[in-house]
Amino acid sequence: QVYVAFSEELECWCRALVESIWHQAYGFQLGCFLVDYAKYCSVASENIRVLAGAFAKVPHRAKKCRLYCTKPLTLHIDYCENTAKIGPAKRWDAAAIQHFRKLLE
């Protein structure tokens, strides 16, 4: 379900999908994906509302997607030959994911 959340970064109300909820000392925080800006943000529970009427039927401008044909790589270290090469991996490692997120920001 799509909600309306106030983004402090954008300083406006935006349509959002709630992805996670966690409890803070001062209340609940919601992890939201802003469907018209393709941004993730954290919103206090008092800054979210139910989207009413025809606005809920307007199509989203942003869609979640994956990088097509992008394969994970990792650093393979050979201690015997004292070399390091970048090669294919089965999964993305944490450092690569963190680097990609920083590039997106």
Side-chain angles (χ1 to χ4, degrees):
Q1 181 175 348
V2 180
Y3 294 91
V4 178
F6 185 77
S7 169
E8 298 203 8
E9 178 185 351
L10 300 172
E11 297 180 351
C12 66
W13 289 89
C14 309
R15 294 185 301 164
L17 294 172
V18 176
E19 297 203 334
S20 61
I21 301 172
W22 64 94
H23 188 272
Q24 299 277 330
Y26 48 86
F28 287 95
Q29 287 286 113
L30 297 106
C32 296
F33 176 71
L34 305 179
V35 297
D36 293 319
Y37 295 93
K39 287 183 171 263
Y40 289 92
C41 69
S42 176
V43 177
S45 59
E46 60 266 7
N47 288 337
I48 196 156
R49 307 284 188 272
V50 175
L51 187 59
F55 291 113
K57 296 177 182 165
V58 176
H60 305 158
R61 291 177 55 197
K63 298 212 183 264
K64 292 183 188 179
C65 59
R66 295 178 183 212
L67 297 174
Y68 181 70
C69 289
T70 303
K71 309 237 184 224
L73 299 174
T74 190
L75 186 64
H76 296 285
I77 299 172
D78 187 347
Y79 292 106
C80 296
E81 295 182 20
N82 199 24
T83 60
K85 296 178 185 175
I86 294 178
K90 292 181 181 178
R91 299 181 63 199
W92 290 100
D93 60 11
I97 293 169
Q98 182 179 8
H99 177 69
F100 183 71
R101 286 183 177 160
K102 285 182 181 177
L103 289 174
L104 289 175
E105 290 175 1

